[in-house]
Amino acid sequence: MELPAGVNRKWASLAGFLLIAIWCWVAFDRPYSFPTHIPWNIYSNSPQAAPTLDVFDFPPLHSSAIKNVCSKTHWNQSVTFICDNSSGNVADVRNSILNCVRYAIAAGGSLVVPRITVREEYEELMGSNTTELDYMFDMDHFINSLTVSCPQMRVYKAASTITNRQHAYGPISLVPESLVKTIPKTGMSQPEEWRGLFYKWISQYVAEDIKGTIIVKLGRSYLQYSVAVDDDAFVLHFGNILKVRRDVRNLASTTLLKLSDIYSLPLRLSELILKKTFLGVYLSTDVEDLPKEDQGNAHYETQSNLYLNQALSANLSLIYAASESGDDILDFMKDASLKNVTVTTKFDLLKGKDREQLLHDFTPDQQALIDYLVLSKASEFAGVGHSSFAWGLALARHFYSKQKDGELDGPQMFGDTLSQIYGAPGGHAEFPACMWP
């Protein structure tokens, strides 16, 4: 081959050799990152791209069941609800927000997008003790879902955007269940009567010269609204007005992809439940303030034995574990290894920039959202009866179980083909009665 005039053959050969060497290094060694001092590597420290498949994404909810309820409701735009007191783990916050929306629908009032009360240790990080809905959930999805499924409801992004805010009355604080004299453990038996009680209560605040809306600040509503009053289709779909925020969904998807890769599991991640792959468990060992009947199952040793026995019985040698305490996970890994069972967590599966994002950008409550999503797809799931986190997962998964009708059988507090909640049968009836799946 004849080179152009002025080009030294020796240097051209050396350049060609270096190019081939670099190509081989990239093609076969597959480095995760290049040295940062090389000028053409200017994006080496930027966040990794989101996975091409977000397995936890779904479109805004279009529910005919919710639309039917809203179409039969008499709407009153002179009342606007604010809900800023939802707190706790994802299951607690989720249920409280959904109750708030349900009460707003019952009253036919407008709604300000709910805010979330953060734990005290995160207040300085968030700037105050409350923060936006997207601390945990996708705000646009929430608004779009209500716009489509309940078009009669006016939704404001913030209290400052309420129509004629300068003429508004309030906010008036109300714990919604306080209007009902007696509430059994399984929730209000006739929550449909709440609307009449609400307008009777609010009439004492209404004056003829009020030009703006009456703002009602609802207190935290958790496990006192009986979801069974609504029809099955409403109950099944209502929770889908909330969708976990996008960056968490991406990390949860990456976690499952890594799980598939590291353990050579041919997973079809689009499936709602990943069959015959791994057991998901949630360790909840905080005994403080628990009633006596729950304290036995709150001990680590008890939960470890229950979960490992379930794994062996189901012939599942891989466990994805989450916990309220990191120390429990380390002990669980050691105990599981003695029975030839492998335990993994999000911290083991996420590496590099993904792990940095997890540790540096998210509070522990936000990190737990990843567990919530991954555990929702587990082949089987196990938790204990005093854990709202475990109940939230088990009830959501129940709709995909083969065991749907009639009473759930078995020696546990809750059991179907996909999940086990360990505890005395009949205990904590408030969870299945008052938690939205």
Side-chain angles (χ1 to χ4, degrees):
M1 174 179 169
E2 185 174 347
L3 297 173
V7 177
N8 187 290
R9 183 177 297 274
K10 180 178 71 172
W11 294 114
S13 299
L14 180 59
F17 173 79
L18 288 174
L19 287 172
I20 293 172
I22 292 173
W23 181 87
C24 292
W25 179 49
V26 172
F28 299 106
D29 204 37
R30 308 291 295 190
Y32 286 99
S33 60
F34 294 102
T36 56
H37 63 273
I38 298 178
W40 41 260
N41 189 30
I42 58 175
Y43 299 112
S44 62
N45 289 323
S46 63
Q48 290 179 337
T52 55
L53 176 64
D54 179 355
V55 299
F56 298 101
D57 191 19
F58 52 91
L61 176 65
H62 192 295
S63 169
S64 58
I66 297 175
K67 186 175 290 187
N68 182 52
V69 170
C70 290
S71 67
K72 294 179 179 178
T73 299
H74 178 68
W75 291 87
N76 180 6
Q77 292 188 1
S78 67
V79 175
T80 299
F81 291 97
I82 293 177
C83 306
D84 290 350
N85 294 308
S86 298
S87 61
N89 64 48
V90 56
D92 300 332
V93 171
R94 180 179 181 273
N95 209 64
S96 179
I97 290 173
L98 292 173
N99 278 355
C100 164
V101 178
R102 188 63 187 91
Y103 281 121
I105 292 175
S110 302
L111 177 70
V112 176
V113 173
R115 292 172 63 85
I116 295 174
T117 300
V118 299
R119 301 182 196 247
E120 289 184 9
E121 56 266 40
Y122 312 147
E123 286 184 13
E124 185 176 348
L125 178 66
M126 295 296 118
S128 69
N129 69 328
T130 66
T131 189
E132 302 287 347
L133 181 72
D134 57 14
Y135 177 68
M136 288 187 175
F137 302 105
D138 186 319
M139 184 186 296
D140 289 338
H141 175 88
F142 176 82
I143 295 173
N144 292 337
S145 294
L146 285 178
T147 299
V148 172
S149 292
C150 191
Q152 296 85 352
M153 174 180 279
R154 176 178 290 183
V155 180
Y156 298 102
K157 280 193 172 183
S160 60
T161 64
I162 294 174
T163 303
N164 292 328
R165 179 70 174 86
Q166 68 274 22
H167 300 298
Y169 184 91
I172 316 167
S173 295
L174 172 67
V175 176
E177 292 84 11
S178 66
L179 300 179
V180 181
K181 291 182 179 180
T182 303
I183 301 178
K185 196 171 184 179
T186 53
M188 290 187 294
S189 58
Q190 294 179 310
E192 67 274 14
E193 296 180 356
W194 185 83
R195 178 188 172 102
L197 295 172
F198 169 75
Y199 279 107
K200 182 179 179 180
W201 170 82
I202 208 172
S203 64
Q204 62 186 301
Y205 299 101
V206 176
E208 293 182 0
D209 59 347
I210 293 179
K211 298 179 181 179
T213 185
I214 301 171
I215 300 175
V216 179
K217 185 176 183 179
L218 290 183
R220 183 175 185 260
S221 174
Y222 181 38
L223 291 172
Q224 293 182 302
Y225 183 95
S226 177
V227 303
V229 172
D230 291 303
D231 65 45
D232 289 347
F234 187 105
V235 174
L236 174 61
H237 295 121
F238 187 51
N240 288 333
I241 65 174
L242 291 175
K243 179 171 67 174
V244 171
R245 52 187 277 178
R246 183 176 183 178
D247 53 356
V248 172
R249 299 197 315 267
N250 287 340
L251 280 182
S253 299
T254 301
T255 301
L256 283 176
L257 289 169
K258 294 296 184 182
L259 187 78
S260 174
D261 182 46
I262 292 173
Y263 296 101
S264 301
L265 299 174
L267 302 181
R268 294 182 59 188
L269 298 182
S270 60
E271 292 183 344
L272 295 170
I273 302 296
L274 304 174
K275 301 175 182 177
K276 299 179 180 180
T277 53
F278 69 96
L279 171 68
V281 307
Y282 188 71
L283 291 151
S284 181
T285 58
D286 187 0
V287 184
E288 187 178 357
D289 298 328
L290 285 181
K292 186 176 181 180
E293 58 268 25
D294 288 325
Q295 291 180 7
N297 280 342
H299 294 296
Y300 163 76
E301 292 78 11
T302 302
Q303 291 181 40
S304 176
N305 288 330
L306 288 170
Y307 300 161
L308 290 175
N309 287 338
Q310 183 172 336
L312 295 173
S313 177
N315 196 28
L316 295 171
S317 60
L318 178 63
I319 295 178
Y320 180 94
S323 173
E324 297 171 351
S325 170
D327 293 338
D328 288 338
I329 295 290
L330 296 175
D331 292 336
F332 192 50
M333 287 178 172
K334 295 175 185 176
D335 292 341
S337 66
L338 298 177
K339 297 189 177 183
N340 295 320
V341 175
T342 300
V343 174
T344 191
T345 70
K346 58 182 177 291
F347 297 109
D348 301 311
L349 297 168
L350 294 175
K351 304 293 184 182
K353 298 292 178 61
D354 294 321
R355 183 171 177 143
E356 289 177 18
Q357 181 185 14
L358 175 69
L359 294 173
H360 297 155
D361 295 352
F362 295 153
T363 67
D365 281 337
Q366 291 172 317
Q367 293 175 11
L369 291 168
I370 296 173
D371 295 322
Y372 198 81
L373 293 176
V374 173
L375 290 171
S376 71
K377 286 183 174 286
S379 307
E380 290 192 19
F381 171 72
V384 286
H386 61 269
S387 168
S388 59
F389 190 99
W391 271 106
L393 282 163
L395 291 170
R397 290 162 55 85
H398 180 59
F399 280 94
Y400 309 120
S401 170
K402 296 178 182 178
Q403 188 175 349
K404 294 181 181 178
D405 300 322
E407 294 296 324
L408 296 175
D409 299 321
Q412 289 81 41
M413 191 173 290
F414 174 98
D416 60 18
T417 58
L418 297 178
S419 308
Q420 299 292 328
I421 299 293
Y422 291 96
H428 287 292
E430 68 274 17
F431 284 112
C434 301
M435 181 167 275
W436 295 98

